[in-house]
Amino acid sequence: MSEAFVEKRLPTKPYETHVMIGGDPANPPLLLVHGAGPGASAGSNWRHCFADLVKDFYVIAHDMTGFGQSEIPDPLPPHAVTWMGLRIEQAFGVLDELGIEKTHIVGNSMGGALALHMLMEQPDRFDKVMTMGPAGAKMDATPELVRLVNFYADPRLPRYREVINSFVYDPSLVPNLEEITQERFKIATDPEVRRVQEVMFESMKTGMPALVVPPSALKRIPHEVALVHGRHDRVIPLQASLYLLEHLQRAELFVLDRCGHWAQIQRWDAMLPIIRNHFLETAR
C-alpha cells in the first residue's frame, strides 16, 4: 500500500531519520512508534495500517534510532537508557521538522516505553495516547522475550521463525507470516544491522529495568490513554498493561482475544475502531 504514504529523510540532529508520512496535514496528527524486535522498522510494523489511518489522520511513522533506515549512532550507546534518550530526542526532532506542535501517539512494545518517556518530558506536545503491548511497564520477563533479546547468540532462520511465531496467537491464522519472517530475517542478519543490534540487545539484557516508568511518574501523566493488549501476548504479558492501568490517572484497557503481541497485524479489525473512537471523539 505504498500509495498511502511517502518516505523521507529528516535532519533530526545529530542523526538523520527515515520517516513514512501519509494523509492530509490538516487532519489530526498521529505519530506511530514501532517495536524493537530484530529486523523491526516502521514499515514492518505499520505499512499496512496507513491506507485506513490516512482517511482520518496525518500519519507519521519513523524508524527508531538503531532500526530501519535511520542513521546509525556513532559511537553505539552502551546502555538501554542511552538508546532511549537518543530516541526521545529523535522523535521530538521529527515533530519539530514537520512543524507539529501537538500530536496523538501510538506506541507498540518498545515504542510504548518511548511514548511514556516522551509524555514525562514534554507532556504539552501530546493530546491522546495509545500503547499496545508496551514495554516501560513493570512486568516479569517471559521466556519468549528472553529468547528475542538473545537472538544474536544463535541467529539462524529456524530460531528466528520461532521468535516471530511467538509474536502471534496462532501462526496458521496469519497467511503472510512466513513472508514477514523471511523479510525481517534478511534485515536482521544484514552485517551492518547485526553489528548495531547486537550491541543494542546486549544493552537491553541488563538495562530494561531502568526504563520502567515508576508509579509516581505515571500518576502525573494527565493524558487519556488507551491500553491495547493481546490476551495471548507471550512477549510482553498483559501484566504490563495492568500495571499502567493501576497507576495512570486516565486509562482504559482493551484486551483483544485471539491476539498476541501484534494487535495491528492479528486484530486490526478490532484495533482500528478503538483508534478511531479514542482519538477522534471529543475529550471527555
Side-chain angles (χ1 to χ4, degrees), residues 22 81 85 94 100 109 133 140 147 159 192 222 227 229 251 276 284:
V81 171
V94 168
I100 296 173
S109 196
D140 298 321
R147 286 174 64 85
R159 191 162 181 274
E192 183 63 3
L227 309 168
H229 217 111
R276 286 175 170 157
R284 292 189 294 272

Side-chain angles (χ1 to χ4, degrees), residues 27-92:
N27 285 339
L30 179 63
L31 180 65
L32 306 176
V33 191
H34 66 82
S41 67
S44 65
N45 254 215
W46 305 115
R47 182 180 292 111
H48 83 281
C49 303
F50 266 79
D52 289 326
L53 294 177
V54 295
K55 298 173 184 176
D56 300 300
F57 302 99
Y58 180 48
V59 187
I60 307 102
H62 67 286
D63 290 337
M64 286 195 298
T65 299
F67 294 95
Q69 300 177 52
S70 289
E71 189 176 355
I72 296 169
D74 183 20
L76 295 176
H79 197 283
V81 171
T82 315
W83 282 103
M84 181 59 71
L86 285 175
R87 290 168 182 156
I88 291 170
E89 294 297 325
Q90 175 196 32
F92 282 130

Side-chain angles (χ1 to χ4, degrees), residues 221-256:
I221 293 176
H223 306 74
E224 291 183 46
V225 183
L227 309 168
V228 176
H229 217 111
R231 177 185 168 200
H232 306 278
D233 192 334
R234 294 184 290 270
V235 179
I236 303 291
L238 180 58
Q239 171 192 356
S241 284
L242 291 174
Y243 169 82
L244 297 179
L245 182 67
E246 178 182 359
H247 297 294
L248 287 166
Q249 287 187 37
R250 305 173 72 189
E252 292 184 294
L253 174 61
F254 301 86
V255 181
L256 305 184

